[in-house]
Amino acid sequence: MEPGVTKADAGLNGHAWNVVGHTYVPKLWNEDAFVWHATLPAGTFVPPHIHPTQDEWIYMLDGELEVEFGDEKVVARVGDTVKMPRGIAHGIFNRSGATAHCVFGVAPSRRLYDLFIALDGVTDPAELVRLSALHEVDFLPPPGGA
């Protein structure tokens, strides 16, 4: 990591990605950690998935998100931190009716930065699942095997 400031309106290397309808703007990246600002419009979500090699967290800046850990659902609001340990399935949902802004992070960074580059603009769910698996993120099958 190089010293300095990543400006509020900028992402590392000029990046800003559209991933599952969210805007992800990378702010810090090295082998130990990856941090990005996320804008999650109302009605968007990240389906349940597992990071087998990373711990993940969300710090809420604005809005509200629901995070599901299997049958358990937690609600995160401004100032809350959601902790998603490696190996634990979780899904992230914006059911609030308003846009949410938050800061995500993972440690170690592993291949997630490269995954977001690969996923930028991908809309086909099967391709999203395929690319994610190649980068150490495993999506769960839909309920009922559908």
Side-chain angles (χ1 to χ4, degrees):
M1 171 172 44
E2 295 184 23
V5 173
T6 303
K7 295 294 188 179
D9 62 350
L12 296 175
N13 302 315
H15 285 147
W17 306 298
N18 179 336
V19 179
V20 296
H22 304 159
T23 301
Y24 294 165
V25 180
K27 297 297 182 174
L28 177 144
W29 174 48
N30 63 37
E31 70 180 38
D32 297 316
F34 173 34
V35 176
W36 64 99
H37 179 274
T39 302
L40 291 75
T44 61
F45 63 97
V46 179
H49 62 284
I50 296 172
H51 298 259
T53 60
Q54 298 170 303
D55 293 319
E56 183 176 21
W57 64 91
I58 304 169
Y59 180 77
M60 296 300 300
L61 299 172
D62 183 48
E64 179 179 295
L65 295 175
E66 293 179 11
V67 180
E68 296 180 2
F69 299 97
D71 292 336
E72 181 186 359
K73 184 186 304 180
V74 298
V75 176
R77 296 180 178 89
V78 174
D80 291 344
T81 301
V82 180
K83 297 170 283 186
M84 300 165 286
R86 70 187 73 198
I88 304 293
H90 56 278
I92 303 161
F93 302 85
N94 184 349
R95 298 178 174 124
S96 69
T99 298
H101 298 272
C102 52
V103 174
F104 277 77
V106 294
S109 56
R110 305 287 297 175
R111 303 193 64 212
L112 203 61
Y113 188 94
D114 293 334
L115 174 60
F116 289 166
I117 291 170
L119 289 180
D120 187 25
V122 171
T123 58
D124 176 50
E127 182 64 359
L128 181 137
V129 168
R130 185 187 76 77
L131 289 169
S132 296
L134 294 173
H135 292 84
E136 303 177 317
V137 176
D138 302 317
F139 280 89
L140 277 57

